[in-house]
Short mmCIF file of all heavy atoms in Angstrom, two decimals:
data_model
loop_
_atom_site.label_atom_id
_atom_site.label_comp_id
_atom_site.label_asym_id
_atom_site.label_seq_id
_atom_site.Cartn_x
_atom_site.Cartn_y
_atom_site.Cartn_z
N PRO N 62 126.08 110.31 90.76
CA PRO N 62 126.50 108.90 90.70
C PRO N 62 125.69 108.04 91.66
O PRO N 62 125.51 108.38 92.83
CB PRO N 62 127.97 108.95 91.08
CG PRO N 62 128.11 110.19 91.90
CD PRO N 62 127.10 111.16 91.36
N THR N 63 125.20 106.93 91.16
CA THR N 63 124.36 106.03 91.95
C THR N 63 124.81 104.59 91.74
O THR N 63 125.02 104.17 90.60
CB THR N 63 122.88 106.16 91.55
OG1 THR N 63 122.46 107.52 91.72
CG2 THR N 63 122.00 105.26 92.41
N ILE N 64 124.95 103.86 92.82
CA ILE N 64 125.26 102.44 92.75
C ILE N 64 123.98 101.65 93.01
O ILE N 64 123.30 101.87 94.02
CB ILE N 64 126.33 102.04 93.78
CG1 ILE N 64 127.66 102.73 93.44
CG2 ILE N 64 126.52 100.53 93.80
CD1 ILE N 64 128.75 102.46 94.46
N SER N 65 123.63 100.78 92.08
CA SER N 65 122.43 99.94 92.23
C SER N 65 122.86 98.49 92.34
O SER N 65 123.73 98.02 91.60
CB SER N 65 121.51 100.11 91.01
OG SER N 65 121.13 101.46 90.86
N TRP N 66 122.24 97.78 93.27
CA TRP N 66 122.55 96.37 93.47
C TRP N 66 121.26 95.60 93.65
O TRP N 66 120.39 95.99 94.43
CB TRP N 66 123.44 96.19 94.71
CG TRP N 66 123.82 94.78 94.99
CD1 TRP N 66 124.59 93.94 94.23
CD2 TRP N 66 123.46 94.01 96.15
NE1 TRP N 66 124.75 92.72 94.84
CE2 TRP N 66 124.06 92.74 96.02
CE3 TRP N 66 122.70 94.29 97.29
CZ2 TRP N 66 123.91 91.73 96.97
CZ3 TRP N 66 122.55 93.29 98.24
CH2 TRP N 66 123.15 92.03 98.08
N GLU N 67 121.09 94.53 92.89
CA GLU N 67 119.91 93.68 92.98
C GLU N 67 120.32 92.24 93.19
O GLU N 67 121.40 91.82 92.77
CB GLU N 67 119.06 93.80 91.71
CG GLU N 67 118.49 95.18 91.48
CD GLU N 67 117.60 95.24 90.25
OE1 GLU N 67 117.35 94.16 89.65
OE2 GLU N 67 117.17 96.35 89.88
N THR N 68 119.46 91.49 93.83
CA THR N 68 119.75 90.10 94.12
C THR N 68 118.45 89.30 94.15
O THR N 68 117.37 89.88 94.28
CB THR N 68 120.48 89.98 95.48
OG1 THR N 68 120.84 88.63 95.72
CG2 THR N 68 119.57 90.45 96.61
N SER N 69 118.56 88.00 94.00
CA SER N 69 117.37 87.16 94.01
C SER N 69 117.72 85.79 94.54
O SER N 69 118.89 85.38 94.56
CB SER N 69 116.77 87.04 92.59
OG SER N 69 117.71 86.42 91.72
N GLY N 70 116.72 85.07 95.00
CA GLY N 70 116.92 83.72 95.52
C GLY N 70 115.60 83.10 95.91
O GLY N 70 114.53 83.59 95.53
N LYS N 71 115.65 82.04 96.67
CA LYS N 71 114.44 81.35 97.11
C LYS N 71 114.56 80.99 98.58
O LYS N 71 115.65 80.77 99.11
CB LYS N 71 114.23 80.05 96.30
CG LYS N 71 113.85 80.27 94.84
CD LYS N 71 113.61 78.95 94.13
CE LYS N 71 112.33 78.28 94.59
NZ LYS N 71 111.12 78.98 94.15
N SER N 72 113.42 80.94 99.23
CA SER N 72 113.31 80.44 100.59
C SER N 72 112.10 79.51 100.63
O SER N 72 110.97 79.96 100.69
CB SER N 72 113.14 81.59 101.59
OG SER N 72 112.98 81.10 102.91
N GLY N 73 112.36 78.21 100.52
CA GLY N 73 111.27 77.27 100.39
C GLY N 73 110.60 77.45 99.05
O GLY N 73 111.24 77.42 98.00
N ASP N 74 109.28 77.68 99.07
CA ASP N 74 108.52 77.89 97.84
C ASP N 74 108.37 79.36 97.49
O ASP N 74 107.64 79.71 96.55
CB ASP N 74 107.13 77.26 97.96
CG ASP N 74 107.19 75.74 98.10
OD1 ASP N 74 108.15 75.14 97.55
OD2 ASP N 74 106.30 75.16 98.75
N VAL N 75 109.02 80.22 98.23
CA VAL N 75 108.88 81.67 98.02
C VAL N 75 110.07 82.20 97.25
O VAL N 75 111.23 81.96 97.62
CB VAL N 75 108.74 82.41 99.37
CG1 VAL N 75 108.61 83.91 99.14
CG2 VAL N 75 107.55 81.88 100.15
N ASP N 76 109.81 82.91 96.16
CA ASP N 76 110.86 83.59 95.40
C ASP N 76 111.13 84.94 96.03
O ASP N 76 110.20 85.70 96.33
CB ASP N 76 110.43 83.78 93.94
CG ASP N 76 110.25 82.46 93.21
OD1 ASP N 76 111.07 81.55 93.43
OD2 ASP N 76 109.27 82.33 92.43
N LEU N 77 112.42 85.26 96.21
CA LEU N 77 112.81 86.50 96.88
C LEU N 77 113.65 87.36 95.95
O LEU N 77 114.49 86.86 95.20
CB LEU N 77 113.62 86.18 98.13
CG LEU N 77 112.94 85.30 99.19
CD1 LEU N 77 113.91 84.95 100.29
CD2 LEU N 77 111.71 86.00 99.75
N GLU N 78 113.39 88.66 96.00
CA GLU N 78 114.19 89.64 95.29
C GLU N 78 114.41 90.83 96.20
O GLU N 78 113.57 91.14 97.05
CB GLU N 78 113.49 90.11 94.01
CG GLU N 78 113.20 89.03 92.98
CD GLU N 78 112.35 89.57 91.85
OE1 GLU N 78 112.87 90.42 91.09
OE2 GLU N 78 111.18 89.16 91.72
N ALA N 79 115.53 91.50 96.03
CA ALA N 79 115.81 92.69 96.83
C ALA N 79 116.83 93.54 96.12
O ALA N 79 117.54 93.09 95.22
CB ALA N 79 116.31 92.30 98.23
N GLY N 80 116.90 94.80 96.52
CA GLY N 80 117.87 95.70 95.91
C GLY N 80 118.05 96.96 96.72
O GLY N 80 117.26 97.26 97.63
N ILE N 81 119.09 97.68 96.39
CA ILE N 81 119.38 98.93 97.08
C ILE N 81 120.03 99.89 96.10
O ILE N 81 120.77 99.48 95.20
CB ILE N 81 120.30 98.68 98.30
CG1 ILE N 81 120.47 99.97 99.11
CG2 ILE N 81 121.64 98.09 97.88
CD1 ILE N 81 121.18 99.75 100.45
N LYS N 82 119.70 101.17 96.22
CA LYS N 82 120.34 102.22 95.45
C LYS N 82 121.05 103.15 96.43
O LYS N 82 120.45 103.64 97.38
CB LYS N 82 119.31 103.01 94.63
CG LYS N 82 118.78 102.26 93.43
CD LYS N 82 117.89 103.15 92.57
CE LYS N 82 117.38 102.42 91.34
NZ LYS N 82 116.51 103.28 90.50
N LEU N 83 122.34 103.38 96.17
CA LEU N 83 123.15 104.21 97.05
C LEU N 83 123.74 105.37 96.27
O LEU N 83 124.16 105.21 95.12
CB LEU N 83 124.29 103.40 97.67
CG LEU N 83 123.93 102.24 98.60
CD1 LEU N 83 125.15 101.40 98.88
CD2 LEU N 83 123.33 102.77 99.89
N ALA N 84 123.78 106.54 96.91
CA ALA N 84 124.47 107.68 96.33
C ALA N 84 125.96 107.46 96.48
O ALA N 84 126.46 107.24 97.59
CB ALA N 84 124.04 108.97 97.02
N ALA N 85 126.69 107.48 95.37
CA ALA N 85 128.14 107.24 95.40
C ALA N 85 128.86 108.57 95.58
O ALA N 85 129.37 109.18 94.63
CB ALA N 85 128.58 106.55 94.12
N ARG N 86 128.89 109.05 96.81
CA ARG N 86 129.54 110.33 97.11
C ARG N 86 130.15 110.28 98.50
O ARG N 86 129.75 109.48 99.35
CB ARG N 86 128.54 111.47 97.02
CG ARG N 86 127.31 111.29 97.88
CD ARG N 86 126.34 112.45 97.72
NE ARG N 86 125.06 112.21 98.35
CZ ARG N 86 124.82 112.33 99.66
NH1 ARG N 86 125.79 112.71 100.46
NH2 ARG N 86 123.62 112.07 100.14
N ALA N 87 131.13 111.13 98.72
CA ALA N 87 131.80 111.18 100.03
C ALA N 87 130.91 111.89 101.03
O ALA N 87 130.38 112.97 100.77
CB ALA N 87 133.13 111.91 99.89
N THR N 88 130.70 111.28 102.19
CA THR N 88 129.88 111.88 103.24
C THR N 88 130.21 111.24 104.58
O THR N 88 130.64 110.08 104.64
CB THR N 88 128.38 111.69 102.94
OG1 THR N 88 127.61 112.29 104.00
CG2 THR N 88 128.02 110.23 102.83
N GLY N 89 130.02 112.00 105.63
CA GLY N 89 130.22 111.46 106.97
C GLY N 89 128.96 110.85 107.54
O GLY N 89 128.98 110.22 108.59
N ASP N 90 127.84 111.02 106.83
CA ASP N 90 126.55 110.48 107.27
C ASP N 90 126.17 109.31 106.37
O ASP N 90 125.57 109.50 105.31
CB ASP N 90 125.48 111.58 107.20
CG ASP N 90 124.12 111.09 107.69
OD1 ASP N 90 124.06 109.98 108.27
OD2 ASP N 90 123.13 111.81 107.48
N LEU N 91 126.53 108.10 106.77
CA LEU N 91 126.26 106.92 105.95
C LEU N 91 124.76 106.70 105.78
O LEU N 91 124.33 106.12 104.78
CB LEU N 91 126.90 105.69 106.58
CG LEU N 91 128.43 105.69 106.64
CD1 LEU N 91 128.94 104.41 107.28
CD2 LEU N 91 129.03 105.85 105.24
N GLY N 92 123.98 107.16 106.76
CA GLY N 92 122.53 106.97 106.67
C GLY N 92 121.90 107.77 105.55
O GLY N 92 120.77 107.48 105.15
N SER N 93 122.62 108.78 105.03
CA SER N 93 122.07 109.59 103.95
C SER N 93 122.35 109.01 102.58
O SER N 93 121.84 109.51 101.58
CB SER N 93 122.65 111.01 104.02
OG SER N 93 124.04 111.00 103.73
N LEU N 94 123.18 107.97 102.50
CA LEU N 94 123.57 107.41 101.21
C LEU N 94 122.44 106.63 100.51
O LEU N 94 122.28 106.74 99.30
CB LEU N 94 124.80 106.51 101.36
CG LEU N 94 126.11 107.24 101.70
CD1 LEU N 94 127.24 106.23 101.84
CD2 LEU N 94 126.45 108.27 100.64
N PRO N 95 121.66 105.80 101.24
CA PRO N 95 120.62 105.03 100.53
C PRO N 95 119.55 105.93 99.92
O PRO N 95 119.00 106.80 100.58
CB PRO N 95 120.01 104.15 101.64
CG PRO N 95 121.05 104.09 102.71
CD PRO N 95 121.74 105.42 102.65
N LYS N 96 119.30 105.72 98.62
CA LYS N 96 118.20 106.41 97.95
C LYS N 96 116.93 105.58 98.02
O LYS N 96 115.83 106.12 98.06
CB LYS N 96 118.56 106.68 96.49
CG LYS N 96 119.68 107.71 96.32
CD LYS N 96 119.88 108.01 94.85
CE LYS N 96 120.85 109.14 94.66
NZ LYS N 96 121.02 109.50 93.24
N SER N 97 117.08 104.27 98.00
CA SER N 97 115.93 103.39 98.16
C SER N 97 116.43 101.99 98.48
O SER N 97 117.50 101.58 98.06
CB SER N 97 115.07 103.36 96.88
OG SER N 97 115.78 102.77 95.81
N ILE N 98 115.62 101.28 99.27
CA ILE N 98 115.88 99.89 99.62
C ILE N 98 114.57 99.15 99.40
O ILE N 98 113.52 99.58 99.90
CB ILE N 98 116.30 99.75 101.10
CG1 ILE N 98 117.45 100.72 101.43
CG2 ILE N 98 116.71 98.31 101.42
CD1 ILE N 98 117.63 100.95 102.91
N TRP N 99 114.60 98.06 98.65
CA TRP N 99 113.36 97.38 98.35
C TRP N 99 113.53 95.87 98.46
O TRP N 99 114.63 95.33 98.33
CB TRP N 99 112.84 97.76 96.96
CG TRP N 99 113.75 97.37 95.82
CD1 TRP N 99 114.75 98.12 95.28
CD2 TRP N 99 113.75 96.13 95.11
NE1 TRP N 99 115.36 97.43 94.26
CE2 TRP N 99 114.77 96.21 94.13
CE3 TRP N 99 112.97 94.98 95.19
CZ2 TRP N 99 115.05 95.18 93.25
CZ3 TRP N 99 113.24 93.94 94.30
CH2 TRP N 99 114.27 94.04 93.35
N GLY N 100 112.42 95.22 98.72
CA GLY N 100 112.39 93.77 98.77
C GLY N 100 111.07 93.27 98.22
O GLY N 100 110.05 93.96 98.29
N LYS N 101 111.11 92.09 97.62
CA LYS N 101 109.91 91.53 97.00
C LYS N 101 109.86 90.03 97.27
O LYS N 101 110.88 89.34 97.16
CB LYS N 101 109.91 91.80 95.50
CG LYS N 101 108.68 91.27 94.77
CD LYS N 101 108.74 91.61 93.29
CE LYS N 101 107.52 91.07 92.54
NZ LYS N 101 107.56 91.41 91.09
N ALA N 102 108.69 89.54 97.63
CA ALA N 102 108.47 88.11 97.83
C ALA N 102 107.30 87.66 96.97
O ALA N 102 106.28 88.36 96.87
CB ALA N 102 108.17 87.83 99.31
N SER N 103 107.46 86.52 96.30
CA SER N 103 106.42 86.00 95.41
C SER N 103 106.18 84.53 95.71
O SER N 103 107.12 83.78 96.01
CB SER N 103 106.84 86.15 93.94
OG SER N 103 107.20 87.48 93.65
#
Side-chain angles (χ1 to χ4, degrees):
T63 302
I64 295 177
S65 302
W66 181 65
E67 296 183 6
T68 184
S69 62
K71 290 182 71 70
S72 178
D74 295 330
V75 180
D76 295 320
L77 302 174
E78 299 173 67
I81 186 170
K82 286 187 178 180
L83 296 169
R86 55 181 170 79
T88 179
D90 182 12
L91 295 180
S93 67
L94 291 179
K96 292 185 173 183
S97 66
I98 309 162
W99 62 271
K101 181 179 179 180
S103 306

